[in-house]
Amino acid sequence: MRITRIDVGAFGAMRSRTFHTDHGLVLFHGPNESGKTTVMEFVRNTLVPTSKRDVYPVRGRGDHGSVTVVDAEGEHVIVLEGRRRGGDVPDAVSGLDPVLYRSVFALNQRDLEDDGPFARGELRSRSLTVPGGDAVPGAMEALTAIVDAELGRTASSRSRLAEALRDLDSVESRIAELRPIAESYGEVSARRDEVRGEIESAESELRSAAESRRMGELAESNAGNYSRLEELEGELSSMGVFRRVHQGDIDLHAGLREAVGAARAALDAVESERDRCRRTMGGVDERAVRSSAPAMTSLLDRYPAYMAGASGADVRGGTPVMVLAGLLLAAAGAVGSTATPYALVASAAGVVLAVVGLVRRRRAGRRRPGRDGAYEGEVASVMASLGLQPTSVPADIRRMGDLLSAQRALSASEPSWMRCRSGVVAAEEDMRRFYQPYGGERGYAASIELTERAIRIESEIGSIRGALSRSGLDPDADPRTVMSGDVDDGRLRELVAELGRLEERMSAMMDTGELDSLLDRRSALRGEVLETVRRGSTAVLALHIADRACGEEFGGTRSSVLSAADRYLSMMTGGEHRIDMDPLGEEVSVVSGGRVRGPREWSTGLRAQVMLSVKLALAREMGGGEVPVILDDVLLPFDRVRMEGACRALVEASREMQLLVFTCDDRVVGMLGGMDGVGTVEL
Amino acid sequence: MGSQFKFIHCADLHLGSRFKGVSSSDPELGRAMRESTWVSLGRIVDLAVSERVSAVVISGDVYDDENALPSTRMRFTRELARIPAPVFIARGNHDSATSWDSAVPYPSNVHEFGPEPCRYAVGSGPGSFDVVGVSFSVPHEGRNLASMLSGDPDRFTVACVHCDVDSVSEGYPYAPCRMSDLRGRGVDYWALGHIHRRQVVSESPYAVYPGNIQGRSVRETGEKGAYLVTVTDGRVSELRFVPTQGMVWRDLEVDITGRDMQSLAADVSSSVLPGDICRLRFTGSGDLDAVLRTETGDAVAALSSASGCTVASVVLGCSPSVELPPAGGPDILSRAVGCGEDLRDSDVGAILDAVCANGMAARHRVLLSSLGEEGIRGMVDDAVRLLAVHLGAGR
C-alpha cells in the first residue's frame, strides 16, 4: 500500500494543504514549526486513529481531511472527520492496534531508544504477523499485570498474595500466642490438683493448729487438774515400790488367820484338856507316870486282888480308870475333830469305854481292901517314884489310877495334840509365807496401808485423767506443750487464691471462642491464598502459553525479520556489523569482527543502528510491506557516516514498503534528496 | 450365639477440623461449618441411644491434630458420657497424644486401645461378643496393625483399627495391610478407619470403611455418617448406613455459557437441598462473567436465596464470551490453543514447572500440587481461556 496524496482540510493549525507522496520514500522537510509534526500526526490519525487525548496537535471537532492510498485493489480514500476515521479504509490498516501501529510503523527518535523488545525478550511477541498477533503484546502486558496483582514480582511487592500471606502470618502469630495457653491445660490441671492437695494439707494443718489452740486453751483452763495430777503422780511415785495388797490377798490373809485361829483353838482345846490331865496328875511328872505306868497298871490290876486279899479281891478291873479314860478320849476326840474327822472315831471309842467302865463299876460293888505288904510296898515305891507321898493304898491306888488315866489321856491326846500343833505350825507357816513378800506382818499391814493410799491416789488420778480425757485433753501431755501459737491461715488463703486463679484459667482455656475464630480465619485465608496462587498461576500459564505460541510462530518469521534487519544493518555499517542469525538466540546480538556482542556491549550509535534496522525489519514483516512507515527525525542521533549508511538503508527499505521521513536536518535532506526513488515535500 | 445385638461403627470424626479450600471469611459461616462435625457426632450419639446399641466402635482420627484443643476433648467427653453402652476407640494418625489427655479423662464407659492389641468382652450370655483393637503408636505408623488382631472363632468378634487396606488412599500408606491379612483371623467384622470415602471393602469377612462423619472439602461431598450393624445369630444380618452430617457439602460446576441468572439459579436449586453447603465453580463463557466478577457478592446471595443452600466459596473459572478456535489454525489464538493442549496433555510436573518458572509461584509449588492432577490440568484450560479473552477473542 502506498500513500499517494495527503489532503489536510483542517488539522491543528494547518488548513487546506495537499501533498503528493507517490514515492517509495517521501521526505518531508522544513524548519521547526513548519508543520511537519502536524502532517505526521494527520497521517497517523487518519490511518490508525488513537483515543489518546493528550496529543499534539490538540484535536478539535473541526479536524478533517483525507489520505489517498493505493494498494493491489486500487485506490482508497481514507477520511478523517473530527476524531473519527471513515471512508474506504484498506484492510492493511483497518485492524491495526493504535499502540502497535505507533510502536512499529510510526517511529521517532524515542522509539529508537526503546530497547524493550531486546531487554525483555518481547521481540517475538512484538513481531508476530499472524492474525491476532498484534494483540499479543497487549495481552501479555495484561496477563503480566494480573500476575503482578495476584502474586507480585518480589516478596516485598504489593499483591493479593502478599496481603493474604500477611494476614495469614498475623493470624498464625496470634494462634501461636493463644494456642500454647489452651494447650497448657494439662499443666494447669496438674497444678490445680497439686494445689488442691496442698489446700487439703493446709486445711488439715490449720484444723490441727486450731485444735491445738483449742486444746491449749482447754489445757490452760485445766491447769489445776494437771497440777493436781502431777502432784498425785509424784506422791504415788514417792511411795516407791511396794507389794500391793489385793482383795484376794486380803481374803487369803483372813482365811489364813482364821485357819491359824482355828488351829490354835484346836490346839488350845487339846492343850487345855491335856492341862486338865496334867492338873489331874497334880504336878506329877508325866514322864515318871509314863515310866511307872506298867507298875501302876499292875498294881491297879492287882488291887482287887489286894482288896480281896484283904477282904477279898476287889476286882474292879480298872473300872474307874476305864470310865475316866473313856471320858478323856471322848473329850480329846471332840476337840480334835476340828482338825481331823478321824478324831470323832476316837471320841466315840472314848464314850464306849466310859460306859463299859460304869457298868462294870456298878456290878462290882464296894469291898473292903485286904492287907498285902509287898503290894503296899510297891505302891509306896511307885508313889515314891512319882514323887508322891504315899497315903493309903486305896488312896494311892486311886491316885495311881487317876494318874494313869491322865497319862493315858495325855498319851491318847498326844497325836491329836501333835496334829493340832502341826496344824498350827502349818497354819502359821502359811501365814508366814503369806507375810514373807510383804516383809512380815508389819510389812503386810504397811502394804495394806500403802495400798489403800495408792488406791485413793489412783482413784483420784483416774478421776482427773478421766475428766481431762473427756475434755479431749491428753492427760499425759505436758500442758505447756499443749498450748500452741497463733493459727496462721495466710498460706491457706494464698493457696485458695491460687486455686481460684487456676480454675479461672482452666475455664478460660475452655472458652476458645477467639482461638476458634482464628482457626476459622486461618482456614479461610489458606483457601484465599490457594485461590490467589491459582489465579496468578493461571495467568503465568497463560503467559507461558502465549510465549510458546509466539515462539513457535516467530520461529517461522524470526529468520525473515532478522534477515531483513541484518541486510539493513549491513547496509548502514558497510558490512562491519551484522545481526546474529543464531536461531537459538533469545535476544538480538550483533556480530562485529567475528565477535558476537549482546545489547549491553553496543555503543549508543550502534544501538541506534541496530534498533532502526530491526524496527524497519519488523515493520516490514508485520505490515507485510503494506503499511507505510512514518519516521520522525530518527536519524538525528547519527553522525554523518552513520547517517549516510542509514539513508542507504532507508532507501533500500523503501523498495519494500513506503517510508515517510520527516526531518528538519538539512544533512538528511542533502543525503536523501538526491537518491533514486525519493520524493521531497518542502513545508 | 443365638440372639441379636447392634453396634455402631464410625470413624474419622476429625472434631474441630476446618473445611479446606473455602475462602469465605464470614465468621458465622465458619462457625457453622466448624459446628457441623459436632452436629454429626451428636446425631450418632442420639442414634446409639435410640437404637439401644450394645457398643459404639470409633476407628481412629477422632481429632484433627492441627486444630485439637482441650475444649475439643472436653466436649467429646461430654458426648461420650451420653452413650449408655461401652465405647471403643482406636487412635489414628491424627490422634497424637497431647499434654491435656490426662487432665480431661474419658468417662468410664470408654475404652481406648493402646499401641498393643487388647480384647474386651461385651455383654454376657448368648448376645455377648468381643471387641479387639489396637491404636497407632506414632503418627506415621508403619506396622501392619490388622495382622496383630485376631478373634475367637466361637464368638462374634469386631476388630477396631485405623489402617490402609491395599493402599486405597492417595497419600502415604498408614498402617498398610492387604485384604488377605483380614481373612482367616477369626474376626467377623473389621471396623476400619482412615479412608474418608464410605466403602464396603469385603463382606466375607465384613471389612468396612464408614467414611468420615462430615465432609470437609470439595472432594468429600455427599452424605456422611455411620453404620448401624445388626448381628443375628452370630452373623451380620443388616449393615445400614445412617447419614448424620451437619451439612452436605456439594461441589457444583455451573456453566454460564448462554445462561442468565435465572437459569443459573434454577440449575443450582435443582442440584442442592436446603441447608446444603456448596462451592460453586463457574465455568464456560458468557455475558454473566462480568456480572459474576464485578458483583460477586450479590450474585452469590441471589443464588443462595433461590436455592436455600449456603455458598461457601466461589471459583470464577468462567470467562467472557470467547470462541476458542481449534488448534492448528492460522491465527495466534489457534497456535495458543495448540500449545495449551500440548501443555495440558503433558506431565503434571511439567505443568508445574511452567508455573514455577515464575519465582513467586515457585514458592507455592507444594500448595499448587494440592490441587491435584485434575485441578492442575484445569488451570491450563483456564489459562488458554484467559489468554483468549485478552487476545480479544470475544470481540
Side-chain angles (χ1 to χ4, degrees):
Chain A
M1 186 177 81
R2 178 182 285 195
I3 299 172
T4 57
R5 180 187 169 117
I6 300 170
D7 291 289
V8 180
F11 192 81
M14 187 172 284
R15 296 288 184 275
S16 302
R17 294 287 301 271
T18 297
F19 308 97
H20 298 277
T21 58
D22 191 10
H23 295 280
L25 191 153
V26 182
L27 180 63
F28 290 83
H29 68 95
N32 292 332
E33 302 297 323
S34 61
K36 295 188 299 299
T37 304
T38 303
V39 174
M40 183 171 61
E41 287 300 325
F42 177 80
V43 172
R44 284 179 178 174
N45 280 279
T46 304
L47 289 181
V48 183
T50 178
S51 59
K52 283 188 176 180
R53 294 197 180 270
D54 55 340
V55 294
Y56 178 84
V58 175
R59 304 299 305 278
R61 289 185 189 175
D63 293 345
H64 67 275
S66 66
V67 171
T68 305
V69 300
V70 173
D71 62 11
E73 292 178 3
E75 186 177 270
H76 307 270
V77 178
I78 306 168
V79 176
L80 179 70
E81 288 287 344
R83 287 184 175 276
R84 293 185 181 177
R85 176 185 65 181
D88 183 11
V89 181
D91 293 338
V93 296
S94 65
L96 267 182
D97 177 76
V99 175
L100 183 68
Y101 173 74
R102 283 178 180 265
S103 70
V104 176
F105 301 104
L107 302 175
N108 57 27
Q109 185 181 330
R110 279 196 304 278
D111 290 323
L112 292 188
E113 294 167 1
D114 173 22
D115 62 353
F118 308 105
R120 293 189 295 274
E122 294 170 8
L123 180 65
R124 286 176 294 170
S125 64
R126 289 176 179 271
S127 67
L128 295 179
T129 59
V130 298
D134 53 339
V136 170
M140 294 183 79
E141 195 173 326
L143 291 170
T144 302
I146 293 174
V147 172
D148 290 347
E150 297 290 350
L151 305 181
R153 293 196 181 190
T154 65
S156 57
S157 301
R158 293 187 65 177
S159 66
R160 286 196 192 87
L161 178 62
E163 193 175 329
L165 288 174
R166 232 182 346 264
D167 289 345
L168 185 60
D169 193 51
S170 171
V171 167
E172 294 275 20
S173 295
R174 186 63 185 143
I175 289 173
E177 283 175 20
L178 293 179
R179 203 184 175 88
I181 297 173
E183 289 178 349
S184 63
Y185 186 87
E187 264 180 59
V188 176
S189 174
R191 177 57 190 155
R192 181 199 55 182
D193 293 343
E194 271 180 29
V195 169
R196 277 180 174 169
E198 288 179 28
I199 286 175
E200 216 170 294
S201 298
E203 283 177 340
S204 175
E205 284 176 16
L206 212 57
R207 280 193 296 271
S208 298
E211 181 63 12
S212 294
R213 185 182 177 81
R214 187 187 73 81
M215 296 302 289
E217 289 168 355
L218 195 60
E220 196 175 346
S221 68
N222 280 273
N225 279 334
Y226 274 106
S227 175
R228 177 63 182 152
L229 186 62
E230 188 176 359
E231 192 181 304
L232 288 171
E233 286 175 344
E235 192 179 330
L236 191 63
S237 176
S238 68
M239 287 167 67
V241 177
F242 64 93
R243 185 179 177 88
R244 283 181 179 254
V245 178
H246 305 288
Q247 188 57 45
D249 296 332
I250 295 174
D251 293 342
L252 180 59
H253 179 258
L256 290 173
R257 278 176 69 103
E258 194 177 329
V260 166
R264 283 185 177 164
L267 182 61
D268 287 346
V270 170
E271 284 188 343
S272 172
E273 185 57 30
R274 286 171 66 89
D275 286 341
R276 192 189 64 74
C277 290
R278 286 190 188 93
R279 281 194 300 275
T280 302
M281 289 173 74
V284 177
D285 187 16
E286 182 184 347
R287 282 175 293 189
V289 172
R290 192 181 301 119
S291 66
S292 301
M296 287 192 285
T297 302
S298 172
L299 290 174
L300 286 166
D301 287 342
R302 286 182 287 130
Y303 182 69
Y306 170 76
M307 292 298 294
S311 65
D314 190 7
V315 180
R316 291 194 182 177
T319 305
V321 174
M322 287 180 67
V323 173
L324 183 61
L327 291 174
L328 286 175
L329 186 61
V335 171
S337 66
T338 59
T340 171
Y342 293 106
L344 290 175
V345 176
S347 177
V351 170
V352 170
L353 187 61
V355 169
V356 169
L358 285 171
V359 170
R360 289 179 79 176
R361 185 183 175 98
R362 191 173 288 168
R363 285 180 182 173
R366 196 163 174 104
R367 294 195 178 113
R368 189 164 190 177
R371 293 192 60 95
D372 186 349
Y375 183 85
E376 290 175 358
E378 275 184 59
V379 168
S381 173
V382 167
M383 289 297 285
S385 67
L386 294 173
L388 293 173
Q389 186 70 36
T391 55
S392 64
V393 169
D396 292 338
I397 291 296
R398 277 199 303 275
R399 183 84 170 117
M400 286 183 192
D402 290 339
L403 286 172
L404 272 175
S405 293
Q407 189 271 328
R408 283 174 183 163
L410 277 173
S411 293
S413 70
E414 189 154 337
S416 176
W417 178 85
M418 291 293 287
R419 280 194 300 275
C420 289
R421 182 152 179 82
S422 295
V424 169
V425 169
E428 288 179 346
E429 179 61 22
D430 287 342
M431 184 65 79
R432 191 194 64 75
R433 279 201 295 273
F434 175 85
Y435 284 139
Q436 184 181 21
Y438 297 97
E441 187 174 356
R442 284 188 182 176
Y444 174 72
S447 291
I448 286 182
E449 189 186 329
L450 287 172
T451 300
E452 287 172 352
R453 190 169 147 220
I455 289 173
R456 281 197 305 277
I457 292 172
E458 287 169 352
S459 174
E460 189 176 350
I461 287 174
S463 297
I464 295 172
R465 289 177 69 90
L468 290 173
S469 294
R470 282 190 296 276
S471 298
L473 293 168
D474 181 3
D476 295 320
D478 183 346
R480 290 166 297 182
T481 63
V482 175
M483 295 183 186
S484 65
D486 291 333
V487 174
D488 182 11
D489 63 350
R491 173 72 181 142
L492 180 63
R493 280 200 300 271
E494 284 173 12
L495 288 171
V496 168
E498 186 183 350
L499 179 66
R501 288 192 296 272
L502 288 169
E503 289 184 338
E504 271 181 27
R505 274 182 71 186
M506 289 173 73
S507 179
M509 284 172 181
M510 284 296 156
D511 180 12
T512 54
E514 185 185 353
L515 190 51
D516 277 326
S517 296
L518 286 167
L519 291 171
D520 290 343
R521 178 78 182 129
R522 180 176 70 177
S523 182
L525 283 169
R526 284 175 173 170
E528 193 178 319
V529 166
L530 179 60
E531 281 305 310
T532 303
V533 169
R534 189 189 182 285
R535 283 196 300 269
S537 299
T538 300
V540 170
L541 279 177
L543 281 167
H544 172 82
I545 291 168
D547 195 60
R548 283 276 293 273
C550 290
E552 286 182 10
E553 183 60 32
F554 186 66
T557 62
R558 178 188 161 104
S559 60
S560 62
V561 168
L562 292 182
S563 290
D566 176 58
R567 187 153 40 86
Y568 299 146
L569 183 64
S570 176
M571 200 168 289
M572 284 185 204
T573 62
E576 184 182 347
H577 302 289
R578 304 296 298 271
I579 297 292
D580 180 24
M581 298 300 289
D582 180 1
L584 296 179
E586 288 295 322
E587 61 179 8
V588 175
S589 302
V590 171
V591 179
S592 305
R595 188 166 79 87
V596 176
R597 295 157 65 187
R600 282 180 284 276
E601 296 179 88
W602 302 340
S603 65
T604 305
L606 177 60
R607 179 180 297 276
Q609 286 175 309
V610 172
M611 293 294 286
L612 182 58
S613 301
V614 172
K615 293 213 171 187
L616 283 175
L618 276 173
R620 172 184 167 282
E621 190 64 37
M622 291 187 74
E626 292 296 314
V627 180
V629 178
I630 298 174
L631 302 174
D632 179 16
D633 257 334
V634 296
L635 301 183
L636 274 179
F638 295 120
D639 57 29
R640 188 171 185 80
V641 173
R642 286 195 168 100
M643 193 177 287
E644 286 175 354
C647 287
R648 286 196 295 276
L650 288 177
V651 172
E652 175 65 26
S654 69
R655 293 195 174 90
E656 296 163 324
M657 58 187 169
Q658 187 180 34
L659 300 180
L660 303 181
V661 179
F662 292 80
T663 186
C664 60
D665 193 334
D666 291 334
R667 294 177 301 166
V668 174
V669 176
M671 290 174 195
L672 280 176
M675 292 184 174
D676 290 336
V678 176
T680 58
V681 175
E682 188 170 350
L683 293 172
Chain B
M1 306 183 199
S3 67
Q4 190 181 81
F5 61 88
K6 299 178 186 176
F7 67 91
I8 285 176
H9 171 210
C10 62
D12 299 284
L13 312 188
H14 290 289
L15 300 173
S17 64
R18 268 63 180 177
F19 280 52
K20 294 177 184 173
V22 173
S23 56
S24 170
S25 59
D26 180 358
E28 258 316 297
L29 180 60
R31 191 201 64 79
M33 290 195 289
R34 182 183 2 116
E35 276 299 301
S36 62
T37 51
W38 291 105
V39 168
S40 185
L41 175 65
R43 288 173 179 165
I44 291 173
V45 172
D46 293 340
L47 180 68
V49 172
S50 64
E51 292 289 337
R52 297 182 183 178
V53 299
S54 298
V56 174
V57 179
I58 305 176
S59 307
D61 281 358
V62 169
Y63 302 105
D64 190 56
D65 41 14
E66 192 188 32
N67 293 297
L69 295 170
S71 55
T72 311
R73 187 177 172 100
M74 180 72 82
R75 191 170 176 183
F76 180 53
T77 300
R78 283 199 290 266
E79 287 290 346
L80 292 175
R82 291 205 296 126
I83 301 176
V87 179
F88 301 94
I89 301 175
R91 283 182 182 257
N93 51 299
H94 285 289
D95 295 326
S96 303
T98 65
S99 61
W100 58 82
D101 282 356
S102 56
V104 187
Y106 288 146
S108 57
N109 64 317
V110 177
H111 308 280
E112 187 175 45
F113 295 108
E116 295 301 324
C118 192
R119 178 188 306 275
Y120 292 94
V122 181
S124 60
S128 66
F129 60 100
D130 288 347
V131 179
V132 299
V134 62
S135 287
F136 272 41
S137 58
V138 290
H140 282 83
E141 179 66 75
R143 296 180 297 167
N144 184 340
L145 297 182
S147 67
M148 298 165 68
L149 301 175
S150 62
D152 182 345
D154 295 330
R155 284 172 66 81
F156 188 89
T157 301
V158 178
C160 175
V161 62
H162 195 83
C163 64
D164 202 343
V165 178
D166 289 335
S167 294
V168 295
S169 68
E170 294 177 358
Y172 179 89
Y174 291 91
C177 65
R178 313 290 301 180
M179 188 60 226
S180 57
D181 294 328
L182 306 188
R183 296 195 181 99
R185 305 197 70 84
V187 173
D188 302 280
Y189 184 99
W190 289 90
L192 306 174
H194 183 57
I195 305 302
H196 291 187
R197 184 170 57 87
R198 181 172 68 250
Q199 54 185 297
V200 179
V201 181
S202 163
E203 290 187 355
S204 184
Y206 270 92
V208 179
Y209 283 106
N212 52 356
I213 66 171
Q214 170 63 57
R216 300 172 305 135
S217 74
V218 295
R219 286 187 276 188
E220 296 178 355
T221 58
E223 292 183 324
K224 297 288 185 178
Y227 274 107
L228 178 64
V229 186
T230 304
V231 178
T232 307
D233 294 335
R235 300 172 69 86
V236 175
S237 56
E238 185 184 8
L239 181 67
R240 175 159 63 97
F241 173 73
V242 179
T244 60
Q245 73 281 334
M247 46 178 65
V248 175
W249 180 253
R250 299 196 191 276
D251 186 29
L252 301 182
E253 183 177 307
V254 184
D255 190 344
I256 68 168
T257 306
R259 315 279 291 281
D260 57 16
M261 280 301 293
Q262 249 182 336
S263 66
L264 273 191
D267 199 12
V268 171
S269 297
S270 67
S271 303
V272 300
L273 293 172
D276 285 354
I277 181 168
C278 65
R279 182 178 80 161
L280 297 180
R281 289 186 298 124
F282 294 103
T283 60
S285 58
D287 295 336
L288 279 178
D289 175 81
V291 174
L292 292 172
R293 289 185 186 280
T294 58
E295 296 170 36
T296 312
D298 289 342
V300 165
L303 291 173
S304 287
S305 174
S307 64
C309 77
T310 301
V311 178
S313 181
V314 167
V315 176
L316 295 175
C318 54
S319 59
S321 296
V322 170
E323 289 182 24
L324 285 180
D331 57 312
I332 191 62
L333 185 54
S334 295
R335 194 172 288 279
V337 169
C339 290
E341 287 176 358
D342 291 342
L343 184 62
R344 192 188 196 287
D345 294 339
S346 66
D347 186 66
V348 167
I351 299 174
L352 287 177
D353 288 342
V355 173
C356 294
N358 178 287
M360 293 306 294
R363 296 179 178 204
H364 302 280
R365 184 179 183 118
V366 173
L367 190 60
L368 285 167
S369 299
S370 71
L371 291 172
E373 182 171 340
E374 191 182 331
I376 293 171
R377 296 194 192 283
M379 272 203 314
V380 177
D381 294 336
D382 292 345
V384 170
R385 193 171 295 278
L386 182 63
L387 177 60
V389 168
H390 287 286
L391 285 174
R395 286 181 298 186

